[in-house]
């Protein structure tokens, strides 16, 4: 078989994820090649690609490389992949979820401050709204960039703390202090590495069948269906987390909040999983009936 070309973004975390997928392939005696994708600006794209609804801000360049046959598969943080995928692209495998939680990282001189007194840097609507639910007077700053960039900004700029996905810290082996924040519910599919491939490439789909982690796939399908049903094309503060407990049942927690965090609807369900039931859609429709429709309409007028 030919060497498998893995497409990835060029950030340190993205390259870690690609190497983790590469390790899984090499353990099964496949030869591999990692291809960092930096920019789509100089690609000679055919018009049909533009019409495929490629919307993911972090996935667009890799989608294009995949569709242009420059790579065989693409490796992503699953929470970055839109729930509506471009034509001829699908998620063909997920690795076992490792660290789904959000954590708080403070400046050293802010370690004694009460949570309600912290000035927080985050550009995530979900993290802002969920924090405001508990601490409505919090002041926020915008912050963007990869993990290293945000840590540098935390040192240099005028705020007390920022919020990270624990997966980013643990995967990079960063020696920084963080604290758990139980008030948060993770973004749908947070802490999961996903592999996308072309729908018309049965060879790659067969290769990744044995790598795919089925319990993780079951949980993230519930989370992403919950997100997809609620969103309706609108970005909103939505959390969703499903996990399989020691009784082989699934516990699902979902939350939708207004942007100011003061109007939130939550669901917390434990159930025996049956294949073929769209649990995510079912729970999202309950949220919509319980006031979620009004929250989503309000958000659409504010963004």
């Amino acid at each position: 078989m030919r060497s498998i070309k893995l497409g990835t973004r060029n950030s340190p975390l993205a390259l870690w994820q690609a190497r983790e997928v590469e390790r899984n392939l090499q353990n099964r005696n496949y030869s591999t090649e990692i291809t960092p994708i930096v920019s789509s600006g100089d690609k000679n794209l055919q018009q049909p690609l533009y019409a495929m609804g490629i919307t993911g801000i972090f996935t667009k360049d890799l989608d294009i490389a995949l569709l242009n046959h420059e790579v065989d598969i693409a490796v992503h943080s699953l929470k970055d992949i839109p729930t509506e995928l471009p034509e001829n692209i699908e998620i063909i495998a997920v690795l076992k979820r490792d660290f789904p939680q959000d954590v708080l990282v403070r400046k050293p001189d802010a370690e004694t401050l009460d949570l309600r007194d912290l000035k927080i840097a985050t550009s995530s609507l979900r993290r802002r709204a969920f924090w405001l639910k508990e601490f409505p007077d919090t002041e926020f700053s915008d912050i963007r960039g990869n993990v290293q960039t945000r840590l540098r900004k935390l040192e240099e700029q005028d705020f007390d703390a920022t919020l990270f996905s624990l997966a980013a810290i643990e995967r990079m082996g960063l020696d920084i202090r963080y604290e758990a924040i139980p008030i948060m519910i993770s973004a749908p599919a947070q802490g999961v590495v996903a592999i996308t491939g072309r729908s018309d490439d049965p060879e790659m789909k067969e290769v990744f069948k044995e790598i795919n982690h089925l319990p993780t796939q079951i949980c993230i399908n519930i989370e992403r269906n919950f997100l997809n049903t609620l969103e309706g094309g609108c970005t909103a503060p939505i959390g969703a987390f499903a996990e399989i407990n020691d009784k082989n049942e699934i516990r699902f927690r979902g939350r939708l909040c207004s942007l100011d965090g003061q109007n939130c609807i939550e669901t917390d369900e434990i159930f025996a999983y049956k294949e073929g039931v769209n649990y995510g859609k079912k729970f999202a429709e309950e949220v919509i009936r319980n006031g979620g429709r009004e929250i989503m309409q309000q958000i659409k007028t504010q963004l």
Side-chain angles (χ1 to χ4, degrees):
M1 184 180 177
R2 68 186 190 274
S3 180
I4 298 173
K5 284 190 174 180
L6 291 76
T8 174
R9 290 169 66 201
N10 207 22
S11 73
L13 180 58
L15 288 167
W16 181 95
Q17 293 173 167
R19 286 191 291 269
E20 189 67 8
V21 175
E22 181 179 55
R23 184 180 64 78
N24 274 272
L25 288 166
Q26 290 177 349
N27 286 347
R28 292 165 173 82
N29 298 316
Y30 294 105
S31 61
T32 59
E33 179 183 337
I34 290 178
T35 305
I37 305 294
V38 179
S39 171
S40 60
D42 58 355
K43 294 181 189 292
N44 182 18
L45 302 178
Q46 297 177 344
Q47 182 60 34
L49 291 180
Y50 289 114
M52 289 182 176
I54 299 173
T55 56
I57 190 168
F58 297 119
T59 58
K60 179 179 177 181
D61 294 333
L62 289 171
D63 288 342
I64 292 168
L66 200 50
L67 292 170
N68 279 341
H69 290 249
E70 294 167 21
V71 296
D72 297 306
I73 57 104
V75 182
H76 300 280
S77 291
L78 183 48
K79 71 171 183 168
D80 294 337
I81 300 179
T83 54
E84 299 291 339
L85 294 170
E87 186 180 335
N88 199 32
I89 289 181
E90 62 184 82
I91 296 167
I92 60 173
V94 294
L95 302 188
K96 183 178 180 180
R97 173 143 52 189
D98 48 14
F99 305 100
Q101 306 92 330
D102 282 325
V103 293
L104 182 75
V105 176
R106 304 179 187 230
K107 281 183 176 175
D109 59 5
E111 287 186 357
T112 60
L113 291 177
D114 190 275
L115 291 178
R116 72 185 69 251
D117 297 324
L118 292 172
K119 182 177 179 182
I120 303 287
T122 179
S123 297
S124 162
L125 293 179
R126 174 185 60 87
R127 287 171 175 155
R128 285 187 179 214
F130 290 8
W131 193 272
L132 286 168
K133 177 178 182 289
E134 303 298 327
F135 310 116
D137 297 324
T138 300
E139 185 181 347
F140 288 100
S141 299
D142 279 320
I143 189 171
R144 289 184 173 83
N146 63 30
V147 176
Q148 288 78 4
T149 300
R150 283 185 284 159
L151 286 171
R152 191 182 70 249
K153 289 180 177 178
L154 177 62
E155 283 183 21
E156 298 170 352
Q157 297 184 10
D158 180 29
F159 49 83
D160 302 310
T162 188
L163 298 163
F164 284 107
S165 162
L166 181 56
I169 294 172
E170 292 288 349
R171 289 172 186 169
M172 300 299 297
L174 298 175
D175 184 21
I176 57 175
R177 292 180 62 176
Y178 60 80
E179 56 199 271
I181 34 176
I183 61 173
M184 292 294 182
I185 297 178
S186 308
Q190 186 164 305
V192 178
V193 177
I195 298 96
T196 58
R198 291 182 297 275
S199 302
D200 61 4
D201 187 351
E203 189 177 21
M204 282 302 103
K205 289 198 264 190
E206 192 62 32
V207 165
F208 280 93
K209 260 186 190 173
E210 57 188 283
I211 291 173
N212 183 57
H213 189 255
L214 184 59
T216 297
Q217 183 188 44
I218 287 169
C219 290
I220 60 95
N221 283 346
I222 295 169
E223 296 164 19
R224 284 172 61 81
N225 286 333
F226 181 80
L227 175 66
N228 182 253
T229 305
L230 282 179
E231 259 189 342
C234 173
T235 301
I238 295 169
F241 181 62
E243 60 184 337
I244 299 173
N245 65 22
D246 54 10
K247 297 178 182 175
N248 222 28
E249 301 166 321
I250 292 179
R251 181 186 179 191
F252 174 77
R253 295 177 65 212
R255 179 189 292 167
L256 167 66
C257 281
S258 58
L259 294 181
D260 64 5
Q262 297 313 293
N263 190 3
C264 295
I265 300 167
E266 300 197 31
T267 181
D268 191 340
E269 305 280 348
I270 296 175
F271 57 94
Y273 176 78
K274 292 179 184 173
E275 198 172 337
V277 178
N278 190 333
Y279 292 99
K281 182 179 180 184
K282 174 185 165 190
F283 298 143
E285 286 173 345
E286 289 174 10
V287 168
I288 289 168
R289 284 195 298 271
N290 290 331
R293 181 178 288 106
E294 290 74 19
I295 292 176
M296 291 302 301
Q297 287 170 347
Q298 180 190 45
I299 289 169
K300 287 175 183 177
T301 65
Q302 292 174 317
L303 291 176

